[in-house]
Amino acid sequence: MDFDRNHVFEYASAESVAPGLLRVTAPNPGPLTFHGTGTYLIGNPPTAMIDPGPPIVDHANALMTALNGQPLAHIVVTHGHNDHAGLAAMMKTLTGAAIAAFDFGASDQNTHQDVNLAGETENHDFITDIPLTDGSVIEGPGYRLEAVHTPGHTGDHLCFVDHAERRVFCGDHIMAWSTTVILPPDGHVGRYIESLERLLEFEDFVFWPTHGPPVKKPATWIRQLIAHREERQLQIVSALTEQPVSADVLLKTVYRDLPPNLTGAALQSLLAGLNWLIEQGQALIIENETRSQKLYYRG
């Protein structure tokens, strides 16, 4: 795949990355966050914030410096992971801004159980002031964002389309530097692919992920991501046999030469892929009573 890892940034600096768009990068680098969370400030002057980032005081201070005393109207959250939403409550306290995030009450998408992946844990410390569903609009001076529900990475994931500036703030759904981890049970490979296909509608926009550089040619990249997921599903099917095996065994077959720091993430995506195959009748599952372990075999 044609990954783009050429990301120019400076921690704690309010960098102008496009007209009416500032980015402040949090110091939380890691295997799933790349160089860190990029919090976006939009409007002129900035009056809305997208993905406030992890609960790091230095990052909060950098954001307040970037606002330079200007009032903040909205704190917009793509999804509830700690590296995106962990600072939401603090920023609301500091600015009085309303938090806009996915409306779980309007959906059957439950959140996944927390997994031991840095940043990829649910944050439950903020109260959503403006519940968003597909098609909801957040607007203020100099910005108008349409929420697009893009389940896949998680069930609560939203992308935000800025039609006037022809850009999409895509959270973790699409990244230039890496593929996306799918976190079951609400993370779902089939819904992820459907969400990717839906975003082809904006193929001539610029996509701004929360981690890493922008995707400037999204049509090509989205099609590569779809092909990658479909190929991975075929690899899982090929790895299944008539003999039940654990997900750990399948992981070694499907994900070869995997760096140790990505094992946990790959296992979650594998489990999501297996869940989708089970739904389609291409895989079966049994419980191993002696080892309390789920075992998978060909459907």
Side-chain angles (χ1 to χ4, degrees):
M1 299 184 69
D2 300 325
F3 293 114
D4 179 6
R5 298 188 171 102
N6 183 27
H7 184 45
V8 179
F9 73 101
E10 182 179 348
Y11 286 124
S13 175
E15 301 172 284
S16 178
V17 294
L21 182 62
L22 300 178
R23 183 183 64 209
V24 181
T25 302
N28 62 325
L32 301 181
T33 57
F34 199 32
H35 295 298
T37 296
T39 298
Y40 294 106
L41 299 172
I42 60 173
N44 192 15
T47 52
M49 175 183 297
I50 301 173
D51 280 352
I56 299 175
V57 172
D58 285 348
H59 187 51
N61 291 337
L63 291 172
M64 293 304 293
T65 298
L67 289 171
N68 193 29
Q70 295 292 332
L72 189 70
H74 295 116
I75 299 167
V76 183
V77 176
T78 61
H79 63 295
H81 278 164
N82 199 49
D83 57 321
H84 295 250
L87 200 59
M90 183 185 295
M91 293 310 302
K92 177 180 177 178
T93 299
L94 291 172
T95 66
I99 298 174
F102 182 74
D103 181 11
F104 281 105
S107 173
D108 61 356
Q109 301 294 313
N110 296 317
T111 57
H112 54 270
Q113 295 178 349
D114 284 347
V115 292
N116 188 25
L117 299 176
E120 302 297 277
T121 54
E122 288 290 333
N123 181 279
H124 305 285
D125 295 333
F126 70 88
I127 297 174
T128 301
D129 301 301
I130 305 174
L132 302 176
T133 57
D134 190 64
S136 296
V137 171
I138 294 291
E139 58 186 328
Y143 63 92
R144 186 179 190 274
L145 302 174
E146 179 189 357
V148 178
H149 186 207
T150 49
H153 172 59
T154 58
D156 65 333
H157 199 287
L158 296 168
C159 290
F160 294 93
V161 180
D162 182 342
H163 291 275
E165 297 295 338
R166 304 184 70 78
R167 58 194 177 199
V168 178
F169 298 97
C170 50
D172 279 353
H173 192 70
I174 294 174
M175 298 178 287
W177 70 281
S178 175
T179 57
T180 297
V181 180
I182 311 298
L183 293 163
D186 65 310
H188 190 282
V189 176
R191 295 191 186 104
Y192 179 67
I193 293 174
E194 290 173 356
S195 297
L196 287 173
E197 291 172 340
R198 183 179 179 189
L199 290 179
L200 284 169
E201 175 185 349
F202 310 105
E203 62 182 13
D204 57 347
F205 285 35
V206 175
F207 281 54
W208 292 90
T210 302
H211 307 288
V215 180
K216 296 181 179 179
K217 296 181 179 180
T220 300
W221 187 234
I222 289 172
R223 291 187 175 94
Q224 285 192 40
L225 291 173
I226 293 171
H228 167 75
R229 288 296 169 185
E230 291 175 341
E231 180 181 3
R232 186 68 78 193
Q233 289 301 107
L234 291 174
Q235 290 173 338
I236 298 174
V237 170
S238 296
L240 292 168
T241 65
E242 302 297 330
Q243 182 67 33
V245 295
S246 69
D248 290 335
V249 171
L250 290 170
L251 184 70
K252 295 175 182 177
T253 302
V254 176
Y255 290 84
R256 299 181 183 275
D257 302 319
L258 185 69
N261 63 352
L262 293 178
T263 299
L267 179 60
Q268 294 302 311
S269 288
L270 175 71
L271 292 171
L274 285 166
N275 286 347
W276 194 35
L277 291 175
I278 291 168
E279 290 178 22
Q280 297 171 307
Q282 297 184 62
L284 298 171
I285 184 173
I286 61 172
E287 296 284 348
N288 185 317
E289 295 181 359
T290 59
R291 293 188 295 171
S292 300
Q293 188 176 41
K294 294 179 179 179
L295 301 178
Y296 302 87
Y297 59 103
R298 183 173 296 165

